[in-house]
Amino acid sequence: MIDIAFPSWPDVAPKLISVAAGRAFADTVIRQGKWVNVHTREILPDHDIAIVAGRIAYVGPDASYCTGPETEVIEANGRFMIPGLCDAHMHIESGMLTPAEFARAVIPHGTTSMFTDPHEIANVLGLDGVRYMHDEALMQPVNIFTQMPSCAPSAPGLETTGYEISPEDVAEAMSWPGIIGLGEMMNFPGVANADPKMLAEIAATQRAGKTVGGHYASPDLGPDFAAYVAGGPADDHEGTCEADAIARVRQGMRSMMRLGSAWYDVETQITAVTEKGLDPRSFILCTDDCHSGTLVNDGHMNRVVRHAIACGCNPVVALQMATINTATHFGLERDIGSITPGRRADVILTSDLTELPIETVIARGQIVAESGSIKVDCPHLDWPDSARGTVHLGHELIAKDFEVAAPEGANGVTVNVIGMVENQAPTKALKADLPVRDGLVEGEGDTMQIALVERHQATGGVTNAFVSGFGYKGKMAMASTVAHDSHHMIVVGTDRDQMALAANRLAEVGGGVTLFRDGKELALVELPIAGLMSDQPATEVAAKAQALGEAMQACGCSLNNAYMQHSLLALVVIPELRISDLGLVDVRTFKKIPVIESIS
């Protein structure tokens, strides 16, 4: 267990007081900028910031009295001085990067604090995986707070994970130095029905004085929602419309509005503030999640704040939603989230509050990025061999493993189909009439095969079903060991031979994403750590991810960020229809349903 504790306010209070009183010189002074005060929603020109021991000692019109010959002076030159940005809900693994490489990617975009739930790796490696993520997070030059995963499996009885998280695991993790609370409580039916295991995890978190993360992925705002809120989750990021956001904040929850690589849920919810006039203090911005291509090419939390402003939000209010609101929610408003005395000196210099160019990033009092370039090292954990080589298929797969047998004598069947919804996490429960040839159900048109390949226990199990919305043409298949949340392997394809090739290729390389067409591999993203992450730089991973996206387009897929959609097809806690190693799951009822509905 790594315990790299950044000095607390009490630890350095004597130094802060000495500098503020003028009895000692600051380590660093940021001079003559516009102070964006997120406590009062003011913009105050011609202000200085004095920093010592990585924390803010003074903010005022003139820090010359505590500026000495050895003080580093950073000229703001009239630019806005805003707090470092916070991502309130995310999963580092979804960026295909380790914490070190994720930090390296987002620091130049102004993200200085992240609240991460490593439940992806928990499903593969259990508590050990969480510890590895926690330890590497503490090694970084910015603030990465870890939430202890709550739900592995996310839906007990409907999926099988590599490991299970227990209330005892949660209680143990609450004593770790970097744990800030409990990760998203995805088993919302369990909470609503007072499941003892779920309530024990929540209780362990609350008794430790930490925050319980929520996840209520249902449009039902009746008694089940009321019961879930009564169970203790303090926030929710699964809202998709204004009514969802309003319902949550009225009940004392925080509404986390997300803009990730594939989910665009800010515009439809922020009207609760911009049009309905609700108090913005209970609204928070987050990503949940961004893949490496988005991080390299578009940004991170700066992208989310810009988007909120473009949706009509006052720029300073949008900044509050990405700074002080987040800090307050997690009980850290006296440590991060604002440019005020005692807080960690996390500051961004920008020349425009609307377009938000990230020109200089200061974290814990040191310049960590300038003009888009990182200026510090992001140390790597020495990941053990047990975290690699996690793809265990049991045997080499062949086309026959992906067959869907029709009822005897059938010439056609009606099947249940997972329907993709562009830019949203939920799917649609559809039906399609498909032909039967030689006793096998065949995909037709935009309805093609999907398979969930078990990879944790080497059972050799393959669950087959059907999906629509990708638009693939020709003989192709794409496979991924990033398969939220149980992270087996999802294979989608128009041809069973290609599906077998893709699945076997990922077993060969130890995990990742690959796409085959006509027997040739068009793209490969290797993810050797738990089958989820690469320890290579984000630019390299993004280049491979871009090649994957181009290959998907070449095969006929025009969905925005279709890879993210692919990776969520086994997420059995978000409606309507999903696939798991145990079968096809109707998340509206949390019951398994048959693939073949009837003979047509």
Side-chain angles (χ1 to χ4, degrees):
M1 175 69 64
I2 289 177
D3 184 358
I4 303 175
F6 182 70
S8 68
W9 187 341
D11 291 337
V12 299
K15 292 182 179 180
L16 297 172
I17 293 167
S18 294
V19 170
R23 294 190 296 268
F25 295 133
D27 294 336
T28 304
V29 167
I30 306 172
R31 190 159 61 188
Q32 291 302 285
K34 298 183 185 75
W35 176 26
V36 179
N37 190 313
V38 292
H39 290 283
T40 62
R41 212 179 295 161
E42 295 176 287
I43 299 174
L44 304 166
D46 304 320
H47 273 64
D48 296 349
I49 303 170
I51 299 165
V52 67
R55 290 183 177 272
I56 296 168
Y58 164 84
V59 187
D62 186 5
S64 60
Y65 73 96
C66 56
T67 304
E70 302 299 320
T71 300
E72 178 187 16
V73 176
I74 300 171
E75 297 291 354
N77 292 321
R79 289 177 289 178
F80 296 97
M81 304 182 298
I82 66 174
L85 303 178
C86 307
D87 191 346
H89 179 73
M90 55 174 289
H91 311 280
I92 284 176
E93 307 98 309
S94 293
M96 300 181 179
L97 304 168
T98 58
E101 291 303 327
F102 198 98
R104 183 184 299 276
V106 303
I107 288 170
H109 297 307
T111 302
T112 59
S113 295
M114 291 168 265
F115 296 82
T116 73
D117 177 357
H119 70 218
E120 322 303 352
I121 202 168
N123 279 273
V124 181
L125 298 176
L127 193 61
D128 285 345
V130 177
R131 185 180 291 108
Y132 302 146
M133 296 292 284
H134 166 275
D135 286 0
E136 186 164 293
L138 287 180
M139 297 164 65
Q140 303 315 307
V142 291
N143 316 309
I144 304 181
F145 302 100
T146 302
Q147 294 174 288
M148 176 60 195
S150 63
C151 298
S154 59
L158 295 177
E159 64 178 352
T160 309
T161 57
Y163 284 84
E164 292 192 12
I165 294 296
S166 69
E168 292 74 24
D169 292 333
V170 171
E172 176 186 336
M174 288 302 137
S175 66
W176 298 357
I179 294 292
I180 195 67
L182 188 66
E184 55 180 307
M185 179 51 72
M186 294 178 288
N187 187 359
F188 55 90
V191 176
N193 288 291
D195 177 87
K197 179 182 177 182
M198 298 298 99
L199 296 191
E201 292 185 1
I202 292 172
T205 306
Q206 291 175 323
R207 290 184 177 123
K210 299 180 187 292
T211 303
V212 177
H215 168 115
Y216 185 79
S218 171
D220 181 2
L221 297 177
D224 282 349
F225 174 65
Y228 183 75
V229 176
D235 56 61
D236 186 47
H237 53 273
E238 291 296 336
T240 59
C241 63
E242 183 186 89
D244 288 341
I246 292 173
R248 285 150 177 78
V249 300
R250 281 178 176 168
Q251 296 297 318
M253 301 178 85
R254 259 60 173 215
S255 170
M256 291 185 174
M257 304 175 292
R258 62 188 173 188
L259 178 74
S261 292
W263 324 134
Y264 289 67
D265 297 325
V266 174
E267 185 174 7
T268 55
Q269 297 185 88
I270 205 166
T271 51
V273 174
T274 60
E275 295 179 12
K276 291 293 192 295
L278 270 62
D279 189 326
R281 288 179 297 174
S282 293
F283 294 83
I284 292 172
L285 296 173
C286 67
T287 60
D288 187 41
D289 285 300
C290 290
H291 64 57
S292 55
T294 300
L295 300 179
V296 170
N297 299 314
D298 300 323
H300 190 232
M301 282 304 299
N302 56 331
R303 170 176 174 260
V304 186
V305 174
R306 282 197 301 262
H307 177 69
I309 295 168
C311 292
C313 189
N314 176 287
V316 180
V317 172
L319 285 172
Q320 288 176 312
M321 293 178 179
T323 57
I324 191 63
N325 291 8
T326 306
T328 301
H329 176 57
F330 287 101
L332 296 174
E333 69 274 12
R334 300 287 290 172
D335 200 38
I336 63 171
S338 67
I339 301 174
T340 44
R343 277 67 171 183
R344 301 186 188 202
D346 300 337
V347 181
I348 298 169
L349 301 182
T350 179
S351 55
D352 190 310
L353 276 191
T354 301
E355 294 300 322
L356 209 64
I358 307 298
E359 292 155 358
T360 301
V361 183
I362 298 154
R364 303 178 183 177
Q366 67 169 331
I367 294 177
V368 292
E370 205 150 24
S371 302
S373 297
I374 192 153
K375 300 297 182 183
V376 291
D377 183 41
C378 294
H380 282 246
L381 184 75
D382 184 12
W383 288 80
D385 291 342
S386 60
R388 303 173 187 268
T390 60
V391 182
H392 310 292
L393 301 188
H395 62 86
E396 185 172 338
L397 299 178
I398 59 176
K400 186 175 180 60
D401 291 308
F402 298 96
E403 292 178 351
V404 179
E408 188 173 351
N411 295 314
V413 295
T414 299
V415 299
N416 289 302
V417 179
I418 303 171
M420 305 304 305
V421 180
E422 188 170 21
N423 292 330
Q424 288 196 357
T427 65
K428 293 294 185 182
L430 306 177
K431 297 185 188 300
D433 294 327
L434 296 180
V436 173
R437 290 191 284 271
D438 299 323
L440 301 178
V441 182
E442 301 289 354
E444 187 174 68
D446 190 36
T447 301
M448 60 199 65
Q449 284 195 233
I450 179 173
L452 194 294
V453 179
E454 199 282 330
R455 71 148 169 127
H456 298 313
Q457 308 297 335
T459 65
V462 179
T463 301
N464 291 296
F466 293 91
V467 66
S468 70
F470 284 107
Y472 291 130
K473 309 292 183 185
K475 294 184 176 181
M476 60 74 61
M478 186 171 115
S480 172
T481 53
V482 178
H484 303 274
D485 272 335
S486 57
H487 295 292
H488 289 289
M489 182 191 299
I490 295 173
V491 189
V492 172
T494 62
D495 179 84
R496 290 185 285 272
D497 286 310
Q498 308 305 308
M499 294 174 78
L501 284 172
N504 292 328
R505 177 62 166 153
L506 293 188
E508 176 188 345
V509 300
V513 194
T514 185
L515 190 149
F516 276 76
R517 183 177 65 186
D518 297 328
K520 296 180 180 179
E521 187 174 56
L522 301 189
L524 173 66
V525 184
E526 301 98 328
L527 302 174
I529 298 177
L532 302 173
M533 297 178 290
S534 169
D535 51 6
Q536 298 302 304
T539 50
E540 294 183 19
V541 178
K544 292 181 179 180
Q546 182 175 342
L548 174 70
E550 292 169 354
M552 295 173 75
Q553 290 179 350
C555 291
C557 181
S558 60
L559 285 178
N560 176 55
N561 282 305
Y563 164 70
M564 293 288 278
Q565 303 274 34
H566 178 113
S567 72
L568 291 179
L569 289 168
L571 187 51
V572 292
V573 290
I574 296 184
E576 295 179 346
L577 209 56
R578 304 283 165 172
I579 191 172
S580 88
D581 63 306
L582 301 180
L584 198 59
V585 178
D586 188 333
V587 185
R588 297 168 298 183
T589 60
F590 278 88
K591 293 181 179 179
K592 290 180 284 185
I593 63 173
V595 174
I596 298 173
E597 184 79 10
S598 62
I599 297 174
S600 60

